[in-house]
């Protein structure tokens, strides 16, 4: 049976270029390692707590927008903690790249840098990536610079049939949500260290010490 690696991609940074930072996360999952039990356990916890089983999206969760607008902050804190626990149980690894917008004259420069960084990371762990027969990239093509960076790196380095496609199942969907969560944790670290964290981060993660001991440590245990 062919060994298949799935790469789930998410980014944080608006298309208008107003965000101070741009964060790109790639989550790696060996398809031979089922996550069905972890997904079932996570959804059961939501049900027992009478919380909605909705797609995890960290920005509206933390700010009480969209699907989360009718939930109070304590309910949203519980949902974030449950998702964090879910991530901890998953057989995944990840890598995140963080960029300061002011260092790039235009989106094309940022795209080139992202492509180089992805390529370098894959070359550094080439043995891992080459152990798979197929590599499939799951990205919703939300931002063109990410699509181009992926085109210029993954397929080129691995020299194999890389397929990009939209999410096709709830299992795939959950792993894309994991990429969203990890983007948030890595961006939070940057903002804490720059003293730009603000009240929202403090409410959900506590101070920088608590954040590093708990949320960051748990996430970083999955870093490739």
């Amino acid at each position: 049976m062919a060994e298949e690696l799935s790469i789930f991609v998410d980014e944080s940074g608006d298309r208008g270029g107003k965000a101070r930072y741009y964060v790109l996360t790639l989550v790696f999952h060996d398809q031979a390692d089922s996550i069905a039990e972890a997904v079932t356990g996570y959804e059961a916890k939501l049900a027992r707590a009478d919380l909605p089983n909705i797609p995890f999206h960290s920005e509206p969760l933390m700010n009480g927008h969209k699907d989360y607008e009718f939930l109070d902050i304590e309910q949203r804190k519980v949902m974030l903690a449950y998702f964090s626990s879910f991530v901890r149980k998953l057989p995944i690894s990840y890598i995140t790249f963080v960029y300061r917008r002011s260092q790039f004259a235009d989106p094309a420069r940022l795209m080139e840098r992202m492509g180089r960084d992805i390529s370098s990371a894959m070359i550094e762990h080439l043995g891992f990536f080459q152990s798979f027969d197929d590599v499939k990239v799951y990205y919703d093509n939300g931002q063109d610079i990410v699509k181009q960076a992926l085109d210029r790196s993954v397929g080129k380095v691995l020299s194999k049939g890389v397929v990009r496609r939209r999410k096709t199942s709830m299992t795939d969907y959950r792993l894309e949500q994991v990429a969203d969560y990890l983007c948030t944790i890595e961006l939070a670290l940057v903002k804490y260290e720059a003293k730009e964290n603000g009240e929202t981060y403090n409410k959900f993660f506590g101070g920088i010490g608590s954040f590093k001991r708990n949320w960051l440590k748990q996430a970083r245990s999955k870093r490739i």
Side-chain angles (χ1 to χ4, degrees):
M1 187 174 178
E3 296 290 321
E4 180 181 309
L5 178 71
S6 294
I7 304 177
F8 297 87
V9 183
D10 195 61
E11 82 288 319
S12 174
D14 60 277
R15 293 176 181 80
K18 296 178 182 178
R20 185 170 297 177
Y21 303 100
Y22 198 100
V23 184
L24 178 67
T25 293
L26 280 65
V27 171
F28 309 109
H29 174 235
D30 181 344
Q31 286 291 327
D33 295 329
S34 174
I35 68 166
E37 185 176 340
V39 170
T40 300
Y42 165 67
E43 293 178 350
K45 286 173 74 173
L46 291 175
R48 287 195 297 271
D50 197 26
L51 292 169
N53 182 8
I54 55 179
F56 178 87
H57 193 182
S58 55
E59 189 279 329
L61 182 152
M62 295 176 72
N63 291 292
H65 298 156
K66 297 183 180 178
D67 291 338
Y68 300 91
E69 99 181 91
F70 299 110
L71 300 171
D72 63 39
I73 190 169
E74 294 307 318
Q75 290 173 303
R76 288 183 280 123
K77 282 182 178 181
V78 170
M79 293 185 76
L80 184 63
Y82 282 177
F83 198 83
S84 173
S85 177
F86 166 60
V87 173
R88 188 167 61 245
K89 295 173 183 175
L90 293 174
I92 60 164
S93 57
Y94 82 98
I95 192 165
T96 294
F97 307 99
V98 181
Y99 307 96
R100 184 179 282 273
R101 291 270 194 176
S102 61
Q103 295 177 344
F104 299 91
D106 53 53
R109 298 287 178 87
L110 176 57
M111 180 270 294
E112 290 172 2
R113 174 65 181 276
M114 285 193 296
R116 288 200 306 270
D117 287 347
I118 296 169
S119 295
S120 295
M122 290 192 153
I123 290 169
E124 182 179 350
H125 302 280
L126 197 57
F128 167 73
F129 292 106
Q130 288 186 333
S131 68
F132 294 92
D133 301 302
D134 294 301
V135 177
K136 295 180 179 177
V137 179
Y138 291 75
Y139 178 59
D140 64 6
N141 294 335
Q143 300 206 26
D144 191 56
I145 61 171
V146 175
K147 177 182 178 296
Q148 290 188 50
L150 292 167
D151 284 339
R152 294 184 178 204
S153 55
V154 181
K156 182 179 178 181
V157 172
L158 300 181
S159 300
K160 56 180 70 177
V162 176
V163 178
R164 182 178 302 102
R165 61 189 185 192
R166 293 178 181 273
K167 36 194 173 281
T168 55
S169 73
M170 182 52 72
T171 297
D172 296 339
Y173 203 15
R174 286 297 185 202
L175 288 171
E176 291 197 354
Q177 292 164 34
V178 170
D180 170 278
Y181 169 81
L182 293 168
C183 269
T184 294
I185 296 299
E186 294 289 348
L187 177 59
L189 174 64
V190 174
K191 290 193 171 182
Y192 271 109
E193 292 186 332
K195 295 183 170 52
E196 299 171 1
N197 42 299
E199 271 309 300
T200 299
Y201 281 156
N202 292 338
K203 287 176 182 176
F204 281 87
F205 300 132
I208 186 170
S210 174
F211 168 75
K212 285 185 172 181
R213 285 191 305 273
N214 300 297
W215 302 89
L216 182 66
K217 183 179 179 181
Q218 176 266 312
R220 287 283 176 90
S221 70
K222 300 292 185 181
R223 200 156 64 155
I224 195 170

